Amino acid sequence: MSAHTNPTEVTEGNFAGYDLIVVGSGFYGLTVAERAATQLGKRVLVLERRGHLGGNAYSEAEPETGIEVHRYGAHLFHTSNKRVWDYVTQFTEFTDYQHRVFAKYQGQVYTFPMNLALINQFFGKSHTPDEARALIAEQSSEIDTKDAQNLEEKAISLIGRPLYEAFVRGYTAKQWQTDPKELSASIITRLPVRYNFNNRYFNDTYEGLPVDGYTAWLERMADHENIDVRLNVDYFDVRAQIPAGTPTVYTGPLDRYFDYREGRLGWRTLDFEQEVVPTGDFQGTSVMNYNDQEVPYTRIHEFRHFHPERDYPADKTVVVREYSRFAKEDDEPYYPINTPDDREKLERYRELANTEAKERNVLFGGRLGTYKYLDMHMAIGSALTAFDNKIAPHLSDGAPLDGSLDA
């Protein structure tokens, strides 16, 4: 990989001769770059404002323990899309890790998502699947779903008040920094309850973690003679120096591209508190949710459990406490809030993308560039589709990039 990590000078000449500019080196951007380079033989320049490759999927070894930590929160790869699976396995092998989450409430630990084990433990009685269904149906009948006016009422109408108050109310209040009574019912479409003992978090056909870690996987995607990566370069500092009409795939924040002309879109962000603990095992699992509202963090990650096959120290472990809050102007955006006001702004930005950005040969993609919550496999799948339908026809035959936000 040809990467200039600390360019001392960025001039217009630096951008000459490239067939495609990719802004951002997350999975969407790198998928587009890799396809253009390997399938079409095009020269691609990837611009990354951070000092490392990979966007929020970046991982690194904690120096004291050597334990691989996902710097921007846990990333769990899973997909049922065979095309995506076949694509990613070109760059990495995967472990057989299956994600399982546990939830702590009032000093007791429960399996999660809600399943028959949780129901039996929480209500202190063994239920058959039919008995559990009848119990939840009775408790949720307090409110008709179609009459729900807010998130709290919607949740109660789906799972009943006891389970809502234990496993949804406090966690949601911490996530959104808002009383669930003040949150829109539209935030949740369903709250799954499994009436069996299955505690696997995802139901996808393919699941695992990259054997050598995320950073190694991402570096392999960019390791091609036709791809140059420049780290520590903000696209907006150099945009004026890029030759007019150069095809560009932009994966940064959509509102930032247009200088917030239609207002700032709302995001939630995350804060992380990392600690090396002098024990070989802190919590016995990779992720523990903390559902009590008085506990300030939403969950604790213990990263050694993501790779039990590795030879990590037996006397130290790394834990990361995760806090959720609304993003301020200088925070890293993680999850779109997607209020009605946000959706109105998004439509106005879509119109700008279809007019102004179209003229500049810009295509928007990824989580930030489309204001959509995308898991890794969804970002990769979207990038593959955009490459097939828009980017390759443009680079090969001159078909216009239409500036839209969808593949």
Side-chain angles (χ1 to χ4, degrees):
M1 178 180 65
S2 176
H4 307 279
T5 59
N6 288 293
T8 57
E9 182 181 10
V10 178
T11 65
E12 187 169 350
N14 291 132
F15 303 100
Y18 289 104
D19 300 300
L20 179 67
I21 305 292
V22 175
V23 181
S25 66
F27 274 114
Y28 189 100
L30 288 184
T31 298
V32 168
E34 186 276 334
R35 292 287 86 184
T38 63
Q39 303 305 300
L40 302 179
K42 301 299 184 180
R43 289 197 66 209
V44 184
L45 175 63
V46 179
L47 301 177
E48 172 57 59
R49 68 175 178 80
R50 291 170 171 168
H52 60 74
L53 198 70
N56 284 359
Y58 175 74
S59 64
E60 60 188 350
E62 191 283 321
E64 185 177 344
T65 62
I67 294 172
E68 181 189 358
V69 172
H70 305 170
R71 185 189 287 186
Y72 304 97
H75 281 65
L76 297 312
F77 192 81
H78 56 97
T79 186
S80 292
N81 185 325
K82 189 174 187 303
R83 185 190 184 194
V84 169
W85 182 252
D86 290 343
Y87 176 72
V88 301
T89 51
Q90 296 177 76
F91 309 104
T92 181
E93 295 180 5
F94 285 85
T95 68
D96 60 358
Y97 176 86
Q98 291 186 342
H99 194 46
R100 288 175 168 82
V101 173
F102 294 85
K104 197 166 189 176
Y105 173 68
Q106 293 188 351
Q108 183 59 269
V109 174
Y110 299 86
T111 63
F112 210 75
M114 287 176 272
N115 62 6
L116 196 56
L118 181 147
I119 291 170
N120 288 347
Q121 184 181 2
F122 184 76
F123 292 104
K125 179 184 176 182
S126 176
H127 296 80
T128 67
D130 287 342
E131 290 169 342
R133 283 191 183 90
L135 173 66
I136 301 307
E138 178 185 357
Q139 293 181 345
S140 62
S141 66
E142 175 185 343
I143 299 174
D144 194 312
T145 297
K146 69 177 184 298
D147 297 328
Q149 299 298 307
N150 55 56
L151 186 148
E152 178 169 294
E153 292 180 357
K154 179 74 170 288
I156 292 171
S157 76
L158 295 172
I159 61 172
R161 187 175 294 275
L163 292 181
Y164 161 75
E165 291 184 346
F167 299 103
V168 177
R169 182 175 64 184
Y171 196 89
T172 301
K174 291 188 291 187
Q175 271 192 318
W176 291 90
Q177 294 184 304
T178 304
D179 188 319
K181 295 187 184 71
E182 306 300 320
L183 292 170
S184 169
S186 66
I187 290 174
I188 54 170
T189 56
R190 65 188 186 96
L191 281 172
V193 178
R194 296 173 180 167
Y195 295 100
N196 56 36
F197 292 97
N198 176 19
N199 71 332
R200 184 180 169 189
Y201 197 77
F202 303 115
N203 293 315
D204 290 287
T205 305
Y206 310 104
E207 181 180 1
L209 291 170
V211 169
D212 301 319
Y214 279 99
T215 295
W217 170 9
L218 293 154
E219 287 176 345
R220 289 175 193 140
M221 292 181 71
D223 187 14
H224 191 277
E225 61 183 2
N226 289 343
I227 299 175
D228 288 338
V229 179
R230 294 192 189 152
L231 306 178
N232 298 306
V233 175
D234 191 318
Y235 168 69
F236 297 103
D237 291 340
V238 301
R239 177 164 60 172
Q241 299 161 31
I242 297 173
T246 303
T248 301
V249 173
Y250 174 82
T251 69
L254 176 63
D255 50 0
R256 173 68 182 92
Y257 182 88
F258 294 103
D259 297 319
Y260 308 106
R261 194 183 316 172
E262 301 297 334
R264 289 181 178 270
L265 293 167
W267 295 86
R268 284 177 22 240
T269 191
L270 299 174
D271 296 316
F272 303 101
E273 180 183 275
Q274 183 170 307
E275 180 184 4
V276 176
V277 182
T279 180
D281 194 346
F282 178 80
Q283 63 186 17
T285 191
S286 53
V287 178
M288 181 75 69
N289 288 354
Y290 283 77
N291 295 74
D292 297 290
Q293 190 168 346
E294 58 270 21
V295 177
Y297 41 85
T298 54
R299 52 189 176 175
I300 293 180
H301 305 279
E302 186 173 4
F303 282 97
R304 73 179 306 119
H305 292 293
F306 286 129
H307 288 280
E309 77 282 2
R310 293 182 181 175
D311 185 22
Y312 285 147
D315 59 345
K316 295 178 182 178
T317 192
V318 180
V319 298
V320 176
R321 295 170 180 85
E322 182 177 308
Y323 302 78
S324 177
R325 60 179 173 82
F326 289 108
K328 299 176 183 177
E329 288 188 8
D330 296 329
D331 287 325
E332 290 289 344
Y334 279 80
Y335 307 112
I337 295 175
N338 211 17
T339 64
D341 181 56
D342 288 318
R343 289 193 290 274
E344 289 179 10
K345 293 176 185 174
L346 179 60
E347 286 307 310
R348 295 197 292 270
Y349 281 122
R350 283 180 181 273
E351 293 175 9
L352 290 175
N354 284 321
T355 54
E356 295 183 16
K358 181 178 180 179
E359 296 174 5
R360 299 177 187 170
N361 266 4
V362 176
L363 182 76
F364 297 88
R367 176 175 47 90
L368 302 182
T370 60
Y371 196 66
K372 294 178 181 177
Y373 178 71
L374 300 175
D375 281 332
M376 289 178 287
H377 68 285
M378 297 167 67
I380 294 167
S382 178
L384 291 172
T385 301
F387 177 79
D388 290 345
N389 296 343
K390 297 185 177 182
I391 299 166
H394 174 77
L395 294 176
S396 299
D397 305 318
L401 286 179
D402 62 7
S404 71
L405 274 62
D406 298 302

